[in-house]
Amino acid sequence: QVKLVESGGGVVQPGGSLRLSCEASGFTFSNYGMHWVRQAPGKGLEWVAVIWRDGKKKYHADAVKGRFTISRDNSKNTLFLQMNSLRVEDTAVFYCAREGSGYYGSGTYYKAIDYWGQGTLVTVSS
Amino acid sequence: QSALTQSASVSGSPGQSITISCTGTSSDVGGHNYVSWYQQYPGKAPKLIIYDVDHPASGVSPRFSGSKSGNTASLTISGLQAEDEADYYCSSYINGNLYVFGTATQVTVL
């Protein structure tokens, strides 16, 4: 079955850096786009970044652009999120998520975030 | 990338039907069918329940259904059950590559 396990969270001071990892299993990792999504304590879901299956294209939310970088190593079935210049408002649970896609019916293409990890907590505090 | 707008809370009695709305723009909800819905229990990861506007995810109860009209998508839960009490999020791609979630709707079963 699909399994996504995040790691690397912890407590960091404002201005610091942290690198999150997400180890994938149960599916062919290199065939899927992957996302990071975060959720601040008591708040809603916020999309962070996406990377294409081959790693050639990546997109980041405006709130993290220039500070966070999504990457992947398909040989190790692992997704990463490098977070620099961290701010107090970056405190959140960070989820790794898979982007499912395919065709149904008479050839209609679909895509959606279909599987999520359990998340890793990042706390930015002095 | 402004969040999609959802009603903050919806409640209903067991057996009733409720509908949650999700309003965006022509660049996201109104621009394509890549609209999904997620259910999240406290302290747990979200779970996909509807994709592509109205397609139930694998293993999801047929009591959940989705629809869309213009820039507004909707999730209907029929035959409301106690286990449906959770937070619900809509989501959409923006112009194909970026992504946005809704503001969340808390469903309460009276």
Side-chain angles (χ1 to χ4, degrees):
Chain A
Q1 73 282 18
V2 173
K3 193 172 182 183
L4 300 168
V5 179
E6 302 93 339
S7 61
V11 180
V12 61
Q13 291 189 335
S17 297
L18 214 53
R19 189 195 198 201
L20 305 183
S21 299
C22 169
E23 190 168 332
S25 60
F27 64 101
T28 304
F29 182 68
S30 59
N31 286 351
Y32 292 85
M34 297 294 296
H35 295 252
W36 286 101
V37 178
R38 68 183 179 181
Q39 187 169 34
K43 303 295 184 182
L45 301 173
E46 181 184 17
W47 177 77
V48 173
V50 62
I51 186 168
W52 286 19
R53 61 188 72 181
D54 57 9
K56 291 183 177 179
K57 294 268 191 182
K58 50 186 79 171
Y59 301 90
H60 300 79
D62 287 346
V64 306
K65 200 174 293 182
R67 300 188 300 123
F68 292 9
T69 303
I70 189 171
S71 63
R72 65 191 297 161
D73 184 339
N74 285 345
S75 68
K76 296 182 179 178
N77 295 339
T78 304
L79 177 72
F80 302 101
L81 185 67
Q82 177 66 44
M83 304 186 294
N84 299 328
S85 303
L86 281 160
R87 304 167 180 167
V88 171
E89 55 265 35
D90 294 319
T91 294
V93 172
F94 282 75
Y95 294 102
C96 158
R98 189 185 84 166
E99 178 177 287
S101 63
Y103 295 89
Y104 63 85
S106 55
T108 303
Y109 180 74
Y110 75 89
K111 60 180 179 177
I113 291 178
D114 60 359
Y115 285 95
W116 302 65
Q118 286 306 300
T120 186
L121 176 62
V122 172
T123 302
V124 185
S125 173
S126 54
Chain B
Q1 297 143 15
S2 299
L4 307 176
T5 301
Q6 298 181 231
S7 42
S9 62
V10 174
S11 61
S13 300
Q16 285 187 327
S17 292
I18 61 170
T19 297
I20 301 167
S21 64
C22 167
T23 301
T25 69
S26 58
S27 295
D28 39 63
V29 174
H32 51 68
N33 283 341
Y34 301 141
V35 176
S36 302
W37 288 90
Y38 300 88
Q39 177 190 61
Q40 186 182 35
Y41 294 112
K44 299 295 186 181
K47 172 190 171 185
L48 176 67
I49 51 175
I50 296 286
Y51 69 94
D52 232 43
V53 175
D54 56 6
H55 287 74
S58 177
V60 170
S61 170
R63 299 185 297 104
F64 292 90
S65 61
S67 63
K68 189 183 82 166
S69 178
N71 295 336
T72 298
S74 300
L75 173 72
T76 297
I77 308 176
S78 305
L80 199 62
Q81 299 180 2
E83 67 200 47
D84 300 331
E85 190 161 290
D87 291 330
Y88 292 83
Y89 294 87
C90 62
S91 69
S92 173
Y93 283 85
I94 306 171
N95 294 330
N97 290 308
L98 305 183
Y99 206 75
V100 63
F101 287 96
T103 50
T105 297
Q106 183 177 55
V107 169
T108 301
V109 181
L110 303 172

